[in-house]
Amino acid sequence: MSIAAATNGKRHRLVPPPSPADGALGELLEISMGPQHPSTHGVFRMNLVLDGERVVKLKPVFGYLHRNHEKIAESMSYLGSMPYTDRLDYFCSLTNNWAYALAVEKLAGLQVPERAEYIRVITAELTRLQNHACLGGFLLQDMGASGTPLMYAFREREKILDLFEALTGARMMCNYMRFGGCRCDLPPGWREQAQRLVAEFPAFLDEFEALLNENEILMARTQGVGVLPASLAVNASISGPMLRASGVNYDIRKVDRYGIYDRFDFQVPLGEHGDVYDRYMVRILEMRESLKILRAALADLPEGPIMDPKARLRGFRPKPGEAYGRIEAPKGELGFYLISEGGPHPYRYRVRPPSFINLTILEDMCLGQLVADVVIILGSVDIVLGEVDR
Amino acid sequence: MMETALRSELRKQGIFLTTLEELYNWGRKNSVWPLGFGLACCAIEMIAASMARWDLARFGAEVFRPSPRQADLMVVAGTVTKKMAPQVVRLYNQMAEPKYVIAMGACAISGGPFKQGYNVLKGIDRYLPVDVHIPGCPPRPEALLHAFMTLQQKIAAQPLTGPHRPRHLIAAAPSEYPIPEFGAHDLVPPNNPEIWQPPSITPAA
Amino acid sequence: METLAQIKARIEAAVAGAVVEMVPNDSPSGQHSLWVDNSHAVAVAQFLREDPELRFDFCSNVTGVDWPETERTEKVKTTRLVDGVETSVEEIRKTKRPGFLEVVYHLYSVALKHGPLILRLRTENRSDQVQVPSLTPVWRGCEFQEREVFDLFGVVFTGHPDLRRILMWDEFTDHPMRKDYVEPDDYEYEPTPHDEVLVKARRSGRGEAGT
């Protein structure tokens, strides 16, 4: 389903588009927004220069959560870095696990058994559901809808976290995937519980969409705001829902067909205008597609082993070489680049963080916009500082 | 002091007796407003604790204040990096007394899993006095609730007079702490020696 | 996608004077890469982006790698005439590899949906000749990542529009991701120190309860 069909093609814009003539007071105001700011989604800081209410310059300042993940990983065993990947994008620990496991599997040539591939798809799509739901909540919170949408989103998130907890023992930091499979099998009754959740989730989406999609205020504040043209998006290495909201059909699940994504029938929702509203809608529509994948994966889940018999947890030393593995994480292309020198530690361990690179064009999107819209544009990028600064 | 049994007997009769101290602390402990300020992963559990399922509002603490001037409690929720530490201390200094600090999670206590990092502060107690520590990575929302209850007990037990009175009633007690500065290799100073000393273990002969 | 050898040949044909070398990768991933000389790197990057059959319009990942100077000793069997008789003798041969910093670019094509093509640029050494050309004018997505490599490895990107530290503070003078970086000693007591922490504990006279 396209965005136009989902919203009956409605477009609103109450505030006229910015023109350089208005607000030309001549005197510029410099403000520092963050690192402690209620809507910078963590410890992110922007140095803004304003002409009246309009942004004329914006420089992001990073590093307030730079906790040296890459340096620590170079003195860790390969497996020892797995729990650290949980803490990159701490909303989506399972997709982080998968990206890292995928890179190491490429480096060491491991094959993942079919059942483990299914479990990976199921947990990754559940992660996508809760990430996108919370993003919707936080975005609305930034717009001033205090509480309600975020409460609804967190209510659904808790249900998914209960599933993660039953499976992995932890709500947020799952540390679940291993090189060549998964750590443990599904507990009894888990599949049925997940199927129940998938069956009930559309009701939440219907409610959320009825409440928000055609909401006058949401449309007025987001449509035509923070427009990102497709050519710039590609050139600036933007990935994930942000790239697709600009109308570029690029989903790594379809392009790389990693795991077993070629077995599932799902669409890639695309935006037309590349504005904040399209980014919001692309995520809402993506949740519907994730539900399709989940329904099929939970129905077809085969029996079998969950670990590659060749995989070794202890004394794991891949041959010298390098590998880059990437997946379509909820925030975009999450990649891991590993160089092995044949030792127990990676010689170089690099995370390609989607939300860090997606911030490259933050200034371009905000120039000429109102300072109040900067918060919403930032919210629509969907950043998590654990991943931005690592 | 009146006996507790007698007092509860009187309450049943509709006579409410209390002390000023008790009333004052009762008011304080049930309106601890936290600073809306998250650092890392633990902040998400802090948000989860304020949502419907764990309902932090039961403790009078759901009013997350965006400004340190209006907040009573700083929940240091996550890894404090060296780049962030001066800002954390500055925010603490900007808070009005009485103020409290909860160190939430392993990172805020000691650097946690990131302890080896060159940019990670090995515990916020190197610069700030901490009232309650919560272990966990991240602590579950229940643990945060437990920390709130612990803090409430701590507030309720504070006498208003005498040497053990709370810090905000002692005129000479420090309310602000020195803000570290960025140096060429590390923060300067790397810790506040007035409130933190490295634990010294003398090797046994 | 064309094979790496074909791409190499086409680069050499299109960019006059460009020196391109294949860097093999023995791991099962089979992701081989191309080393490009610094003076032609921007032209090569532009060619890779514009060529209608390659169209590498998406620079996904930029990585710095530190290769300090290493000495490798290997035993080589050689035949030599000893007293007029050919005998095989084991020789210990020492090879010295000078240190350098490397920047790795992972390129994909969004238009043609292929990739990755891996480009490598190398600096002359690790101390004073640490310049490589910036590819930010070709791919905007390199901007922050190159700043990060500059910050953590100390590679200077010539032609970068805004080369400043990005993760560490501006007053910081070290490059912490280098292999020889020494971090500030803010070690404190740990009940069971091991590895490097144990060395630090011994040095500072603290730690190691019961010794």
Side-chain angles (χ1 to χ4, degrees), chain A residues 171-383:
Chain A
R171 285 157 48 82
M172 280 170 70
M173 306 304 172
C174 296
N175 181 19
Y176 178 61
M177 289 176 200
R178 291 290 178 265
F179 315 133
C182 297
R183 176 157 56 90
C184 51
D185 211 336
L186 303 181
W190 196 90
R191 187 174 169 187
E192 289 70 33
Q193 202 188 336
Q195 277 170 327
R196 211 158 38 242
L197 181 129
V198 170
E200 287 167 3
F201 204 85
F204 156 72
L205 275 182
D206 292 341
E207 185 188 28
F208 207 68
E209 288 196 66
L211 193 63
L212 300 169
N213 278 8
E214 293 175 45
N215 183 303
E216 189 79 23
I217 302 172
L218 178 82
M219 287 189 156
R221 293 248 9 226
T222 58
Q223 290 188 340
V225 171
V227 176
L228 175 64
S231 57
L232 178 62
V234 173
N235 192 250
S237 311
I238 306 304
S239 54
M242 256 188 98
L243 180 66
R244 294 192 284 278
S246 295
V248 182
N249 188 351
Y250 196 75
D251 186 321
I252 298 169
R253 290 176 292 177
K254 291 274 189 198
V255 176
D256 279 12
R257 299 173 167 269
Y258 64 93
I260 46 162
Y261 272 113
D262 48 351
R263 297 189 193 179
F264 302 107
D265 177 33
F266 64 100
Q267 308 287 316
V268 179
L270 296 179
E272 292 166 47
H273 309 90
D275 55 7
V276 174
Y277 186 76
D278 278 11
R279 273 170 235 148
Y280 161 78
M281 277 309 296
V282 160
R283 289 182 173 106
I284 295 280
L285 296 176
E286 258 182 30
M287 282 196 268
R288 302 251 182 213
E289 300 301 322
S290 288
L291 286 171
K292 275 192 210 167
I293 301 174
L294 276 169
R295 255 179 238 119
L298 284 164
D300 305 343
L301 181 66
E303 292 297 321
I306 55 160
M307 276 297 280
D308 183 348
K310 278 196 299 172
R312 289 179 63 195
L313 289 185
R314 289 179 183 279
F316 180 70
R317 287 160 186 255
K319 277 194 290 181
E322 60 174 56
Y324 179 71
R326 59 173 196 165
I327 68 160
E328 180 73 32
K331 299 197 164 52
E333 175 187 337
L334 176 65
F336 282 80
Y337 174 59
L338 302 164
I339 300 181
S340 166
E341 287 271 88
H345 322 294
Y347 183 80
R348 177 76 176 104
Y349 173 104
R350 152 85 180 168
V351 187
R352 189 247 186 234
S355 44
F356 174 58
I357 296 164
N358 284 359
L359 284 173
T360 309
I361 37 65
L362 183 66
E363 182 174 20
D364 302 62
M365 290 196 292
C366 292
L367 287 184
Q369 303 282 346
L370 298 173
V371 63
D373 289 339
V374 169
V375 164
I376 299 169
I377 295 169
L378 178 70
S380 74
V381 179
D382 192 8
I383 59 167

Side-chain angles (χ1 to χ4, degrees), chain A residues 39-213:
Chain A
S39 48
T40 53
H41 296 249
V43 283
F44 181 64
R45 177 175 156 204
M46 291 172 277
N47 283 340
L48 290 159
V49 180
L50 303 178
D51 177 7
E53 292 256 326
R54 304 260 177 231
V55 177
V56 293
K57 194 178 164 192
L58 184 151
K59 289 290 170 205
V61 182
F62 301 90
Y64 292 99
L65 195 57
H66 176 45
R67 41 191 183 181
N68 328 124
H69 175 49
E70 292 180 7
K71 184 81 177 172
I72 293 173
E74 286 176 11
S75 61
M76 283 272 170
S77 67
Y78 283 84
L79 188 58
S81 293
M82 186 62 90
Y84 285 86
T85 63
D86 292 337
R87 288 155 182 83
L88 280 172
D89 170 2
Y90 32 78
F91 268 99
C92 314
S93 62
L94 284 157
T95 46
N96 300 347
N97 284 179
W98 193 0
Y100 180 47
L102 191 81
V104 177
E105 280 152 13
K106 280 193 175 183
L107 185 68
L110 296 171
Q111 288 299 318
V112 182
E114 198 182 16
R115 182 174 171 85
E117 291 277 24
Y118 269 91
I119 297 176
R120 285 182 175 190
V121 167
I122 292 166
T123 52
E125 294 306 319
L126 284 172
T127 304
R128 199 178 314 276
L129 283 182
Q130 58 100 3
N131 179 74
H132 286 359
C134 288
L135 182 270
F138 280 118
L139 187 61
L140 269 294
Q141 176 102 342
D142 290 347
M143 264 177 249
S146 282
T148 311
L150 190 61
M151 290 260 187
Y152 282 17
F154 263 71
R155 182 189 64 200
E156 296 309 310
R157 178 174 183 260
E158 290 294 342
K159 292 178 192 166
I160 296 174
L161 292 196
D162 281 351
L163 281 175
F164 290 168
E165 194 177 357
L167 177 62
T168 71
R171 285 157 48 82
M172 280 170 70
M173 306 304 172
C174 296
N175 181 19
Y176 178 61
M177 289 176 200
R178 291 290 178 265
F179 315 133
C182 297
R183 176 157 56 90
C184 51
D185 211 336
L186 303 181
W190 196 90
R191 187 174 169 187
E192 289 70 33
Q193 202 188 336
Q195 277 170 327
R196 211 158 38 242
L197 181 129
V198 170
E200 287 167 3
F201 204 85
F204 156 72
L205 275 182
D206 292 341
E207 185 188 28
F208 207 68
E209 288 196 66
L211 193 63
L212 300 169
N213 278 8

Side-chain angles (χ1 to χ4, degrees), chain C residues 83-153:
Chain C
D83 300 332
V85 189
E86 252 190 31
T87 43
S88 69
V89 181
E90 269 197 357
E91 254 183 25
I92 293 176
R93 200 177 282 171
K94 284 190 178 173
T95 44
K96 227 180 197 182
R97 191 196 59 193
F100 59 90
L101 299 164
E102 188 172 54
V103 187
V104 186
Y105 294 81
H106 285 79
L107 311 178
Y108 283 88
S109 171
V110 166
L112 303 177
K113 297 196 167 44
H114 61 223
L117 177 73
I118 305 164
L119 281 191
R120 310 180 98 91
L121 304 181
R122 286 174 188 168
T123 63
E124 291 291 316
N125 58 28
R126 296 173 72 245
S127 47
D128 52 346
Q129 299 285 311
V130 288
Q131 288 84 9
V132 297
S134 166
L135 299 188
T136 303
V138 184
W139 294 288
R140 186 65 201 287
C142 302
E143 185 182 344
F144 286 176
Q145 303 189 71
E146 286 185 341
R147 272 178 71 186
E148 187 188 321
V149 174
F150 164 71
D151 185 355
L152 302 183
F153 290 89

